[in-house]
Amino acid sequence: MKTIIEPFKIKMVEPIALTTPQEREEILRRAHFNVFQIPAEQVIIDLLTDSGTSAMSAEQWAGMLRGDEAYAGARSWFRFERVVRELTGIPHILPTHQGRASERILFELVGGRGKVIPSNNHFDTTRANIEHSGAEAVDLVIDEGTQPRTRHPFKGNLDPRKLEELIARVGARHIPLCMVTVTNNSGGGQPVSMANLHEVREICHRHAIPLFLDACRFAENAYLIKRRERGWDSASPRAIARAMFDLADGATISAKKDGLVNIGGVLLMRDDQLAERANNLLILTEGFVTYGGLAGRDLEAMAQGFTEVLDEDYLHYRVRSVEYLGEHLLEAGVHIVEPPGGHAIYIDAAAFCPHIPQSQFPGQALVCALYRHAGIRAVEIGSVMFGRVDPDTGEVSYPPMELVRLAVPRRVYTQSHIDYVVEAVVEVFERRNTIRGLRIVEEPRALRHFTAQFEAVAG
Ligand SMILES: Cc1ncc(COP(=O)(O)O)c(C=O)c1O
């Protein structure tokens, strides 16, 4: 059969409230043109994030009821620990309430002034936690990873040459660890190949630098390795995921992605001493070591989610439905990051709105246009998220790409929802010349995309 169906049936439904373009114009104004400020009930199709937005399975809900809420040594903890150990083989497993809690603990321990932490691309919370510790976060993705239209099967790869150069320039003793983000969210949801992980691991090993994975989307990365990398096509996603973790000295995971849960995270490490210090911090701010910042029922849901996510039929449907969205946009002439990533389609907003300069946030302007036109909530991954203003000189530095991410929640939307998205993007594309730029009127000191306020630039 050519048609790939959702490999699940729907047992529970949530209504979607439909709004008019006039209503949405007013909503946008009230939100100061920042879609993070729009109530979710006023969104028709919510593609803001794939994080924490998954639909849980009947087995996950059953696990929620079975959750053991004992403070220490709960049955749910032992199930969770067993599942994560079988999946990763990493001995020290710390539950946290979400990915950034794992990052905060890790970088409080290894970060600090004078330290440099490389990655293919740090996600925004990872970068913010590293910088908060006083350390410097450096992105070393391969050049193809910053060229939206260059086709490369593993555009998330970390450039080994750039890593060697960094080590030579700053010295290995200033690099407490190297991260690799799988898949590379900030770089277009692009996967990292097994060969690249081996190469990075070899360099790190040679310089005694631990290698950590930001493994939020380990299952999608594993499936894309199976599909695209020679030698892995007959391996199971589980075996590939395990081979990825076998190369790592530790990992941070937000289970809100491939854990198929609405809240949860994990911090993993092999080093006994580091783990002991991490456990002390965990107790200080998250909770006792057998629950972290979570309830027993959350641990049950995560354990089940980490199991279900490696189902090959699920991963096939997941990756194909994102590709389907990307292929239809490409057919209509919309430029996207190619090839489509694992969890999202990234529209090249600079190409979509060539009449809007980077200083007027073409990505944010496109996000607003999509909401206004069809009630679709996307997110800007460009100058709002990553632009930097030098506090001394006032000079602005811009990221290499202006992207708008359409992140697809797991197991939530059907093919007709995705068809609606295609139609909406294409219609906005046809009238793209009418989209106007924005200027920031208020912004916080860090992570400004969440709360910055904008106004339209006069046309
Ligand atoms: C690659 C990556 N790392 C870290 C995080 C942070 O995870 P959380 O939102 O659970 O704190 C995210 C969230 O989107 C992510 O995509």
Side-chain angles (χ1 to χ4, degrees):
M1 294 293 296
K2 279 207 293 297
T3 307
I4 294 154
I5 59 168
E6 287 85 1
F8 48 80
K9 293 184 287 182
I10 296 166
K11 185 176 259 180
M12 206 190 288
V13 295
E14 237 186 304
I16 295 176
L18 302 178
T19 46
T20 64
Q22 293 72 26
E23 287 168 337
R24 292 194 291 271
E25 182 64 52
E26 182 48 35
I27 293 165
L28 258 184
R29 273 179 206 289
R30 277 203 304 269
H32 302 281
F33 301 96
N34 186 335
V35 293
F36 281 100
Q37 304 300 321
I38 296 179
E41 284 190 332
Q42 293 168 348
V43 174
I44 295 178
I45 303 284
D46 206 345
L47 306 183
L48 185 69
T49 177
D50 65 320
S51 178
T53 52
S54 301
M56 291 211 298
S57 67
E59 274 307 311
Q60 284 178 294
W61 282 109
M64 296 283 282
L65 287 179
R66 278 195 300 266
D68 177 358
E69 304 302 343
Y71 188 93
R75 187 179 61 243
S76 303
W77 154 253
F78 288 112
R79 177 180 178 209
F80 169 76
E81 189 194 31
R82 177 176 51 74
V83 166
V84 176
R85 180 153 303 133
E86 279 169 15
L87 169 66
T88 66
I90 299 179
H92 298 291
I93 298 167
L94 289 73
T96 59
H97 78 276
Q98 63 182 83
R100 71 197 70 183
S102 306
E103 292 163 3
R104 210 256 315 138
I105 292 171
L106 181 62
F107 294 115
E108 189 169 331
L109 293 174
V110 307
R113 203 177 271 280
K115 301 280 172 53
V116 180
I117 318 244
S119 179
N120 41 355
N121 282 114
H122 290 286
F123 185 66
D124 61 352
T125 60
T126 324
R127 172 174 287 278
N129 271 293
I130 291 169
E131 290 175 353
H132 184 69
S133 81
E136 187 190 348
V138 179
D139 291 340
L140 302 177
V141 73
I142 56 170
D143 291 345
E144 290 89 335
T146 60
Q147 300 155 2
R149 250 148 290 144
T150 306
R151 283 230 165 209
H152 182 295
F154 293 101
K155 286 172 88 168
N157 283 356
L158 189 153
D159 191 327
R161 186 184 45 81
K162 292 181 190 168
L163 180 59
E164 294 272 24
E165 276 169 15
L166 180 81
I167 296 170
R169 184 164 58 78
V170 306
R173 68 197 169 86
H174 295 295
I175 305 179
L177 59 84
C178 172
M179 300 232 31
V180 179
T181 311
V182 293
T183 57
N184 187 20
N185 188 4
S186 312
Q190 298 292 320
V192 175
S193 71
M194 193 69 81
N196 185 249
L197 286 175
H198 272 279
E199 213 172 341
V200 170
R201 155 99 187 151
E202 188 279 316
I203 296 169
C204 287
H205 212 70
R206 194 155 22 89
H207 295 279
I209 298 169
L211 172 63
F212 270 61
L213 297 179
D214 176 340
C216 295
R217 299 178 181 82
F218 66 94
E220 288 165 8
N221 200 85
Y223 189 69
L224 288 165
I225 286 177
K226 180 178 172 71
R227 286 266 302 270
R228 297 182 186 171
E229 190 165 354
R230 189 180 302 182
W232 290 98
D233 57 333
S234 57
S236 68
R238 172 173 290 280
I240 300 172
R242 179 57 188 263
M244 286 160 47
F245 283 113
D246 280 349
L247 295 170
D249 297 292
T252 55
I253 302 182
S254 165
K256 297 168 71 176
K257 287 80 173 171
D258 277 350
L260 297 176
V261 289
N262 308 119
I263 195 72
V266 197
L267 174 58
L268 299 163
M269 47 189 69
R270 295 188 196 276
D271 184 295
D272 296 339
Q273 281 168 7
L274 188 64
E276 194 184 322
R277 292 167 61 214
N279 272 327
N280 290 336
L281 279 184
L282 185 80
I283 293 171
L284 195 65
T285 58
E286 287 279 302
F288 187 57
V289 294
T290 62
Y291 72 87
L294 297 165
R297 53 181 169 271
D298 299 322
L299 296 171
E300 288 280 347
M302 270 205 286
Q304 183 64 26
F306 281 137
T307 308
E308 288 175 11
V309 77
L310 288 163
D311 177 80
E312 206 164 320
D313 292 335
Y314 160 75
L315 284 168
H316 182 52
Y317 136 80
R318 168 80 181 149
V319 165
R320 261 313 292 158
S321 57
V322 174
E323 278 172 356
Y324 173 91
L325 172 58
E327 284 163 8
H328 281 76
L329 295 185
L330 280 171
E331 266 169 32
V334 176
H335 292 310
I336 62 166
V337 173
E338 294 181 56
H343 66 289
I345 292 300
Y346 293 68
I347 298 175
D348 181 349
F352 203 103
C353 304
H355 58 290
I356 303 179
Q358 270 189 305
S359 58
Q360 293 179 13
F361 308 114
Q364 188 71 12
L366 176 53
V367 166
C368 291
L370 285 173
Y371 178 75
R372 188 182 290 115
H373 187 68
I376 294 168
R377 178 155 67 170
V379 69
E380 191 257 18
I381 301 199
S383 290
V384 177
M385 197 181 266
F386 294 119
R388 286 275 179 283
V389 184
D390 187 308
D392 300 325
T393 64
E395 202 178 311
V396 185
S397 57
Y398 294 105
M401 293 194 275
E402 295 291 337
L403 302 176
V404 166
R405 187 184 71 178
L406 305 172
V408 184
R410 294 170 181 78
R411 307 193 291 205
V412 170
Y413 292 118
T414 63
Q415 177 150 350
S416 73
H417 291 121
I418 300 295
D419 285 335
Y420 174 87
V421 175
V422 171
E423 189 179 329
V425 177
V426 173
E427 284 182 5
V428 172
F429 185 58
E430 281 159 2
R431 61 189 74 162
R432 58 192 178 280
N433 293 341
T434 62
I435 302 175
R436 279 157 58 196
L438 297 165
R439 85 163 63 85
I440 291 185
V441 289
E442 219 165 299
E443 62 177 300
R445 285 163 67 92
L447 297 175
R448 67 179 178 178
H449 53 288
F450 291 126
T451 53
Q453 298 186 359
F454 301 83
E455 68 182 13
V457 172

